[in-house]
Amino acid sequence: MSSLSKSNRHENDVLMVRPGKWTLTIVTMLRTETLRFNELKRAGGISQKTLTLTLRELERDGFITRTMFATIPPRVDYSLTELGHELLELADSMRMFADRNREQILAARNRFDLTGGDPAIRLMHAQ
């Protein structure tokens, strides 16, 4: 493998934010305040297992910080890091994109669903 392809693979790994269903939802929820685990769970309607996994991924990638308090019951707070605030900008851009293109996206989904998920075949003739 060439050094160029090794370099590109590494760059792509860093650029790949795990686009889980809940990633941007959690980042958005932490926009203005620090929240506890159960607050995130209640507000997001997310299962405990999925929330735990998503929070760990976000912490691993440096988007959130986790602060643990030695209390009974244990208290854990989550907040966005500076990098997390940059990811929030991406989340906001994606939300604006979805809002602007909502009707087109819904129409495309409807067309796809009406075909039973079969791909549309477009025949092109060579000129």
Side-chain angles (χ1 to χ4, degrees):
M1 182 181 296
S2 74
S3 63
L4 180 58
S5 52
K6 285 181 187 174
S7 172
N8 286 340
R9 186 182 66 208
H10 176 69
E11 289 172 9
N12 291 337
D13 289 347
V14 173
L15 292 175
M16 184 178 175
V17 174
R18 288 157 189 81
K21 177 180 178 180
W22 295 101
T23 300
L24 297 180
T25 300
I26 291 170
V27 168
T28 302
M29 290 169 62
L30 293 170
R31 172 188 306 273
T32 59
E33 62 185 329
T34 297
L35 294 173
R36 294 181 181 178
F37 183 91
N38 283 329
E39 291 172 321
L40 289 165
K41 185 178 170 195
R42 279 191 301 271
I46 182 173
S47 75
Q48 182 167 333
K49 179 181 178 181
T50 301
L51 179 58
T52 298
L53 292 172
T54 305
L55 288 169
R56 285 185 183 172
E57 287 178 353
L58 288 167
E59 184 180 11
R60 181 175 185 254
D61 287 342
F63 297 121
I64 64 170
T65 57
R66 176 178 53 153
T67 305
M68 297 176 63
F69 298 89
T71 60
I72 299 191
R75 177 178 152 195
V76 181
D77 289 351
Y78 295 90
S79 59
L80 290 180
T81 62
E82 190 173 317
L83 189 61
H85 282 283
E86 284 193 50
L87 182 59
L88 182 59
E89 292 174 23
L90 176 62
D92 290 342
S93 293
M94 291 180 74
R95 170 66 70 196
M96 288 186 292
F97 170 85
D99 289 346
R100 268 194 324 269
N101 295 289
R102 180 177 181 73
E103 300 218 4
Q104 287 178 280
I105 293 168
L106 292 175
R109 286 179 182 174
N110 190 44
R111 282 191 305 274
F112 183 87
D113 292 346
L114 287 174
T115 66
D118 293 328
I121 299 173
R122 295 177 27 187
L123 294 175
M124 305 299 285
H125 297 284
Q127 294 180 359

